[in-house]
Amino acid sequence: MDERERAVVQSVPTGLYIGGEWREAASGARFVVEDPATGEEIATVADASEADARAAVDAAVAMQPAWAATAPRERGEILRRAFEAILEAQDDLALLMTLEMGKPVAESRAEVAYAAEFFRWFAEEAVRIRGDFYISPDAATRVLTTRQPVGPSYLITPWNFPLAMGTRKVGPALAAGCTVILKPAEQTPLCSLALASILERAGLPGGVLNVVTTEHPGPISDVIIEHPGLRKLSFTGSTEVGSLLMRKASSGLLRLSMELGGNAPLIVFEDADLDKAVAGAVFAKMRNGGEACTSANRIFVHRSIAEEFAGRLAAALSALKVARGTEPGANVGPLIDHDALAKVSGLVDDAVARGGRVMTGGARTGERGYFYAPTVLFDVPTTARVFREEIFGPVAPVYPFDDDDEAIRLANDTTYGLVGYIFTESLKRAVRTIEALETGMVGVNQGLVSNAAAPFGGVKRSGFGREGGFEGIHEYLSVKYAALNLG
Ligand code: NAP
C-alpha cells in the first residue's frame, strides 16, 4: 500500500459498532482483510463473538420504540445528511472499496454514487408512508389502515458491492423506523464500518444501527436470528446460504427479504442494433468484473449474427485492461479470492472439454493476485456446467438460437430468475419477451437495471422481496388495520 492508501484504510474504525460505541470483540479476536490484487493484508477488524452478537441485538431491540417514534422527517434528514457525506467522501470510499474488494477505482466511484442514492431516495420516502381510510361495503364500519415499522432487522450483505448492498437495506429500514444489525461479508467489512461512522456523524442515535464484523457468520447469525426481539432478516448472497437462513428464520417466523444468485440471459434478436447490443453485453457481463448477481451469464444470439457478434464481443473484451484496481486505466480487477479463481477456471475448462471454443481469454493472468482474463466462449453445449452455474467472473458464453421461442425457452431454462436483457428494435417482440421471461427484472436495449428509484429483485431461486423503488420501504413496514364502528 502507498501512503494515501494506508491513510484511507487507517481512517476507518475497525471495532464493532454496538449501541453507539466502538468496541473490541469480547474475546479480543480480530481477523485479516486482504487486498485481492496482491493477497497482502490491509487491515484487521474485530471478530465478533456470540456475546457481541447478543449485545448488538439487545441494543437494536432497546432502541426500537424510540426510533419508531422519531419523526419521519428527522429520520429522513439523517439519511439525507449521510447521503451528502458519502458523496463528499467519494474518493476515499472508492479507494477503500478497491483496496478490499478489487474493482477498478472508476467502478468503485460509480458504486459509491449508486450507494448514496439509496439514502437520498429513502430520505424522500421516509415522509411518504401512507395508510388508507374507507367505508366497508356494507357501510357498517370504517376501515382504517396504517403502516408501522416491522421492528429490529438483521441485514446480511455480500462482498461484491460492499457499500451499495448495505445502503440498499439500511436506507429503507431506517426510513421505515426499524433499528438494524448489519453484518457485512468478511472479505469487505471496511466499507460498512466507514458507513456506520458516516451515519454516526450524520446524527443517527446510538443503537439504531449496529455493525458486527465476523469470520464466523454461522454461529453469530444463529444468536441474532434466535433472539426473541428480532423481527426481520434481509439477506443478499448465495441461494444456498439464503435457503439455509430461511430455515433458521422459520422458528421465529421472521419477515424475510431474499436477494439471491442469478444466471442472467441476454438475448440478441436478429433485428437488434448490433453496436448497442455489443456495448450492452460488455456492460452487462463486465460490470464488477462479472462478479455481480446481474451479470449476463448466458448470451443468446440469433444464429444469423451469432458468430459476428461473438467476434465483436471478443474484440471488445480483449481490449480491456486487467490490472490492480488502483492502476490508471484499469478496466478489470482481480477476482475476490483463490476459490473464486478456481471456480471460474474450472467452469471454462469444463466448457472447453465439452467442445467449447475460446474466442479470447480462457486463462488466469498476472503473477500474483486472483486475475482471470476476460473470456468469450462459443459453441458451448448447454450441458456444460457454465450454462447452469452462476459464473461470477469475466466469462461470456455465446449460444446461437434459431427462433424467438427457442431463445425464451433457453433463457428460462435455469433455476434462477433475477434479470434478463434483451436487444431488439421491435416493440412487439420486446413486450412479448418481457412478459415471457421468468425474471424479476428485464433490461431492454441496455445492460444495466440497477437504479435506486426502481424495484430490484428476483423470482424463482433468485429470491423474493424488492430493494429500491417505491416498493423498497414496504419490506420494512407492516400494515395495521383498525375497524371503526361509528354506529
Ligand atoms: P454468500 O457466501 O452467500 O455470503 C453472503 C453473506 O452471507 C456474507 O455476509 C457471508 O458472510 C454470509 N454468510 C455465509 N454463510 C453464512 C451462514 N451460514 N449464516 C449466516 N451468514 C452467512 O455469498 P457471497 O459469495 O458473499 O456473494 C455472492 C452471492 O451473492 C452470489 O450468489 C450473488 O449472486 C449474490 N448476490 C445477489 C444480489 C441480489 O441482489 N440478488 C446482489 C449481490 C450478490 P461471510 O462473508 O463471512 O462468509
Side-chain angles (χ1 to χ4, degrees):
M1 280 196 291
D2 65 22
E3 214 169 296
R4 171 153 152 65
E5 292 168 6
R6 196 164 298 115
V8 164
V9 170
Q10 283 171 357
S11 70
V12 180
T14 56
L16 307 171
Y17 185 58
I18 297 176
E21 283 174 9
W22 293 95
R23 47 160 116 160
E24 285 303 315
S27 62
R30 304 196 125 242
F31 65 94
V32 169
V33 182
E34 68 170 44
D35 175 350
T38 60
E40 282 166 10
E41 172 179 329
I42 56 171
T44 65
V45 302
D47 188 4
S49 61
E50 294 177 18
D52 299 312
R54 209 162 291 116
V57 205
D58 285 345
V61 171
M63 270 308 283
Q64 178 58 49
W67 184 241
T70 302
R73 176 67 78 200
E74 199 178 327
R75 299 200 300 257
E77 295 288 331
I78 293 170
L79 285 173
R80 173 75 204 196
R81 285 198 291 275
F83 157 72
E84 279 158 16
I86 293 172
L87 289 186
E88 271 160 33
Q90 187 171 14
D91 287 341
D92 284 358
L93 286 169
L95 181 56
L96 185 70
M97 187 182 294
T98 293
L99 289 173
E100 67 174 349
M101 186 274 167
K103 70 181 80 178
V105 168
E107 279 203 61
S108 294
R109 282 181 59 82
E111 183 184 335
V112 173
Y114 172 54
E117 279 306 321
F118 286 102
F119 277 10
R120 173 153 68 173
W121 177 261
F122 287 108
E124 292 158 350
E125 288 300 282
V127 294
R128 314 211 193 292
I129 299 168
R130 286 174 302 182
D132 213 339
F133 181 78
Y134 50 95
I135 304 174
S136 67
D138 62 2
T141 57
R142 301 293 181 275
V143 175
L144 172 72
T145 68
T146 185
R147 288 191 161 81
Q148 296 182 310
V150 167
S153 302
Y154 182 32
L155 317 177
I156 303 180
T157 55
W159 50 263
N160 60 344
F161 292 97
L163 198 61
M165 296 302 97
T167 57
R168 199 159 84 163
K169 295 186 191 301
V170 171
L174 298 191
C178 296
T179 58
V180 304
I181 306 105
L182 171 64
K183 193 210 78 61
E186 64 193 78
Q187 290 99 331
T188 57
L190 298 174
C191 281
S192 293
L193 295 168
L195 184 68
S197 170
I198 285 173
L199 279 162
E200 183 180 37
R201 278 180 275 130
L204 189 71
V208 175
L209 166 79
N210 304 276
V211 183
V212 288
T213 49
T214 177
E215 237 185 344
H216 310 285
I220 293 307
S221 299
D222 287 352
V223 169
I224 298 173
I225 290 170
E226 284 161 17
H227 193 292
L230 192 77
R231 293 287 174 268
K232 160 135 195 147
L233 167 66
S234 176
F235 173 77
T236 298
S238 60
T239 298
E240 197 186 9
V241 174
S243 107
L244 170 80
L245 290 172
M246 272 183 78
R247 286 196 289 278
K248 292 188 174 182
S250 67
S251 55
L253 285 171
L254 300 181
R255 275 274 297 268
L256 295 173
S257 302
M258 290 281 154
E259 298 283 351
L260 308 177
N263 192 9
L266 184 149
I267 307 175
V268 182
F269 291 100
E270 68 265 39
D271 64 0
D273 174 329
L274 223 51
D275 291 338
K276 229 190 267 177
V278 172
V282 171
F283 197 85
K285 175 72 255 178
M286 294 307 301
R287 177 169 177 243
N288 229 37
E291 292 179 309
C293 51
T294 50
S295 188
N297 279 348
R298 297 170 304 135
I299 299 177
F300 302 111
V301 186
H302 191 268
R303 194 173 299 279
S304 61
I305 49 171
E307 192 139 7
E308 180 193 349
F309 180 91
R312 288 178 61 174
L313 186 61
L317 262 52
S318 60
L320 298 175
K321 179 174 172 182
V322 182
R324 185 174 191 236
T326 49
E327 262 189 44
N331 300 117
V332 185
L335 294 170
I336 189 71
D337 57 22
H338 178 270
D339 289 354
L341 182 61
K343 181 181 177 195
V344 170
S345 304
L347 289 177
V348 172
D349 295 349
D350 172 75
V352 171
R354 292 171 194 263
R357 216 178 343 137
V358 176
M359 300 194 65
T360 186
R364 71 176 294 184
T365 170
E367 299 195 337
R368 55 182 194 158
Y370 312 112
F371 295 94
Y372 197 86
T375 298
V376 175
L377 300 173
F378 201 62
D379 290 334
V380 178
T382 56
T383 49
R385 282 176 54 206
V386 76
F387 187 82
R388 304 254 158 243
E389 296 178 31
E390 198 176 16
I391 302 173
F392 245 60
V395 177
V398 176
Y399 306 88
F401 65 84
D402 289 303
D403 59 41
D404 292 19
D405 286 348
E406 187 190 10
I408 289 165
R409 185 182 55 72
L410 286 166
N412 287 338
D413 184 11
T414 169
T415 55
Y416 293 106
L418 189 61
V419 59
Y421 306 92
I422 59 176
F423 288 83
T424 173
E425 294 298 298
S426 156
L427 179 63
K428 196 162 147 186
R429 189 173 242 158
V431 172
R432 273 195 196 144
T433 314
I434 290 168
E435 290 175 359
L437 284 179
E438 296 168 358
T439 59
M441 302 175 286
V442 183
V444 182
N445 292 326
Q446 62 180 57
L448 176 71
V449 291
S450 303
N451 180 341
F456 187 105
V459 298
K460 295 163 75 178
R461 291 193 191 175
S462 291
F464 50 81
R466 294 294 178 265
E467 294 190 323
F470 299 111
E471 292 81 355
I473 199 164
H474 292 288
E475 300 286 318
Y476 297 91
L477 292 167
S478 298
V479 175
K480 178 176 277 177
Y481 144 62
L484 307 185
N485 185 335
L486 307 183

